[in-house]
Amino acid sequence: QVQLAESGGGSVQAGGILNLSCVVQHSPHNSYCMAWFRQAPGAEREKVADINNVGTTTYADSVAGRFTVSRNNALKTAYLQMKNLKPEDTAMYYCAARFWHCNGPFNYWGQGTQVTVSS
């Protein structure tokens, strides 16, 4: 069973930087899409970025130019670097994975890590 283990997150002031990591465990191969989602209290879950197995990335408009998603297939790890953070970026962040392409529902989820940005 594929499992995702997240790390990173925490509290930072507006304009700061945080980095998240997500290790994929027990995957039989590297042909999967990785994505980062976030959910703030009372809000719907939002996909902020994804990256496919060849490194093609997409971003939500709300984070484009500030967040960077990357992956290291040898380490089976995906990363989310978040720069120029804003209070509205405060949310629980989740990594997710699905085999093959990025279109479609994600089958595997991390436990979530809290990101809090103060003004």
Side-chain angles (χ1 to χ4, degrees), residues 64-82:
R66 300 187 297 120
F67 289 13
T68 301
V69 60
S70 60
R71 64 190 286 166
N72 183 321
N73 287 338
L75 297 179
K76 297 186 182 294
T77 302
Y79 307 93
L80 185 68
Q81 182 181 61
M82 305 180 289

Side-chain angles (χ1 to χ4, degrees), residues 14-55:
I17 299 173
L18 283 175
N19 297 299
L20 306 181
S21 299
C22 177
V23 178
V24 181
Q25 300 170 329
H26 314 303
S27 174
H29 52 72
N30 284 329
S31 295
Y32 48 80
C33 171
M34 295 293 299
W36 291 93
F37 290 77
R38 68 185 181 186
Q39 187 167 23
E44 292 189 355
R45 187 172 59 194
E46 172 191 25
K47 186 166 75 171
V48 297
D50 64 35
I51 181 168
N52 68 10
N53 62 311
V54 296

Side-chain angles (χ1 to χ4, degrees), residues 48-105:
V48 297
D50 64 35
I51 181 168
N52 68 10
N53 62 311
V54 296
T56 302
T57 59
T58 61
Y59 296 93
D61 290 344
S62 57
V63 306
R66 300 187 297 120
F67 289 13
T68 301
V69 60
S70 60
R71 64 190 286 166
N72 183 321
N73 287 338
L75 297 179
K76 297 186 182 294
T77 302
Y79 307 93
L80 185 68
Q81 182 181 61
M82 305 180 289
K83 295 182 178 179
N84 191 21
L85 281 159
K86 303 175 180 180
E88 53 263 43
D89 294 318
T90 295
M92 186 71 78
Y93 283 70
Y94 300 90
C95 68
R98 68 184 311 278
F99 287 119
W100 312 120
H101 55 72
C102 292
N103 297 322

